[in-house]
């Protein structure tokens, strides 16, 4: 998914870029004005616009609504200072939403899924397996369910099953595109299959899968508590 970000604040733009990266989404450009954003609003150039809600030379970024809706292009506005008139305006459009800063990255992903069904389809792909090249230079099929975790190691992603390890020259972020909703990133270097977790310790910040201890990154703790059913 190609995303255009309209954000005038450098710090906020950097934070949003980090959120998009963690969600395995592609930021194709960051602009700081309505005029710059409008140059991107053509069929096929972008799939989604995320825009700060602000006034630019006396003109509100809400003017982007008519253009994006005419292109059937979803748009998400974000602001730390919501006001009712803006909300009422945005809610009139089926492919528009308003997020209040600060927001969690999963909140952004859920909003995208609601506005852009194709995004949800891609993240919950019906693909049940991936192919990797083995030592004999043949393409070997690996069922997703057989993958216990994926680990980043240098320029490679290491796919771990119950009996084998496969080295793939692909980043962990790109591996996430191939995996479905049963997989969760729990650390900057690890993606785990939720169905293979034996136990979770939020005290020691560790997950155990088949006696293998996997660290939990501090920024991913809430993702785990939100994703794992707790009786």
């Amino acid at each position: 998914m190609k995303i255009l970000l309209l954000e005038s604040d450098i710090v906020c733009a950097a934070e949003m870029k980090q959120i998009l990266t963690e969600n395995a989404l592609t930021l194709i450009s960051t602009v700081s004005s309505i005029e710059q954003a409008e140059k991107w609003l053509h069929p096929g150039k972008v799939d989604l616009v995320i825009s700060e809600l602000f006034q630019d030379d006396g003109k509100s970024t809400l003017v982007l609504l008519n253009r994006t809706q005419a292109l059937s292009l979803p748009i998400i506005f974000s602001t730390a200072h919501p006001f009712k008139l803006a909300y009422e305006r945005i809610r009139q459009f089926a492919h528009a939403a308003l997020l209040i800063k600060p927001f969690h990255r999963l909140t952004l992903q859920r909003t995208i899924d609601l506005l852009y069904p194709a995004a949800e389809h891609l993240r919950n792909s019906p693909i049940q397996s991936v192919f990797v090249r083995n030592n004999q230079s043949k393409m070997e099929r690996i069922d997703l369910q057989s993958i216990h975790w994926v680990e980043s190691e240098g320029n490679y992603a290491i796919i771990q099953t119950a009996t084998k390890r496969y080295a793939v020259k692909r980043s962990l972020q790109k591996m996430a595109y191939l995996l479905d909703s049963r997989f969760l990133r729990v650390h900057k270097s690890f993606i785990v299959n939720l169905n293979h977790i034996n136990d979770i310790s939020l005290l020691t910040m560790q997950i155990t899968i088949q006696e293998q201890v996997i660290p939990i990154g501090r920024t991913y703790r809430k993702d785990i508590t939100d994703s794992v059913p707790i009786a």
Side-chain angles (χ1 to χ4, degrees):
M1 176 182 291
K2 298 172 291 186
I3 296 178
L4 173 68
L5 175 64
L6 170 53
E7 177 60 66
S8 61
D9 185 279
I10 297 176
V11 174
C12 288
E15 291 175 350
M16 181 61 75
K17 183 177 181 179
Q18 177 65 27
I19 290 175
L20 295 175
T21 298
E22 291 175 352
N23 280 33
L25 297 168
T26 303
L27 178 63
I28 60 168
S29 183
T30 301
V31 297
S32 58
S33 70
I34 295 172
E35 182 181 24
Q36 291 172 340
E38 288 177 333
K39 293 179 181 178
W40 284 90
L41 299 184
H42 298 282
K45 271 201 167 185
V46 296
D47 299 314
L48 170 72
V49 177
I50 299 177
S51 173
E52 176 189 8
L53 188 60
F54 73 103
Q55 297 283 337
D56 180 15
D57 291 332
K59 187 165 60 172
S60 168
T61 49
L62 287 175
V63 300
L64 296 174
L65 271 170
N66 290 333
R67 183 69 180 277
T68 57
Q69 300 308 293
L71 294 170
S72 296
L73 186 65
I75 183 168
I76 299 173
F77 291 96
S78 64
T79 180
H81 306 288
F83 51 97
K84 188 174 181 180
L85 288 178
Y87 170 72
E88 292 297 333
R89 172 74 171 147
I90 293 168
R91 72 192 295 261
Q92 294 176 26
F93 297 87
H95 301 293
L98 175 65
L99 291 181
I100 311 304
K101 299 177 182 178
F103 50 82
H104 192 273
R105 69 184 187 88
L106 290 181
T107 302
L108 174 63
Q109 183 60 59
R110 180 56 179 160
T111 303
I112 293 174
D113 290 344
L114 291 172
L115 292 181
Y116 201 93
E120 189 169 13
H121 170 74
L122 288 172
R123 292 181 64 83
N124 298 282
S125 169
I127 295 173
Q128 295 298 314
S129 60
V130 293
F131 285 86
V132 299
R133 194 179 301 278
N134 61 24
N135 293 334
Q136 289 76 41
S137 294
K138 293 181 179 179
M139 301 304 291
E140 183 174 342
R141 177 175 174 168
I142 306 174
D143 290 338
L144 293 189
Q145 183 51 32
S146 71
I147 298 175
H148 286 196
W149 69 83
V150 184
E151 178 181 356
S152 175
E153 192 173 287
N155 295 325
Y156 288 82
I158 308 300
I159 299 173
Q160 179 69 56
T161 68
T163 58
K164 290 185 179 181
R165 284 166 61 88
Y166 301 87
V168 181
K169 198 166 186 181
R170 183 185 290 262
S171 69
L172 205 62
Q173 180 181 334
K174 289 182 178 178
M175 278 300 302
Y177 282 111
L178 303 177
L179 304 174
D180 58 24
S181 58
R182 81 192 89 178
F183 291 88
L184 180 69
R185 191 161 188 170
V186 298
H187 187 273
K188 65 179 181 179
S189 299
F190 286 93
I191 296 173
V192 302
N193 187 332
L194 297 174
N195 294 334
H196 287 298
I197 293 177
N198 296 113
D199 60 66
I200 301 171
S201 173
L202 295 179
L203 182 63
T204 60
M205 296 290 281
Q206 292 177 329
I207 287 172
T208 303
I209 299 179
Q210 297 295 317
E211 300 184 355
Q212 173 69 34
V213 175
I214 295 171
I216 298 173
R218 191 163 39 197
T219 59
Y220 298 93
R221 174 176 174 148
K222 190 174 188 305
D223 293 0
I224 294 172
T225 57
D226 287 345
S227 302
V228 176
I230 301 174

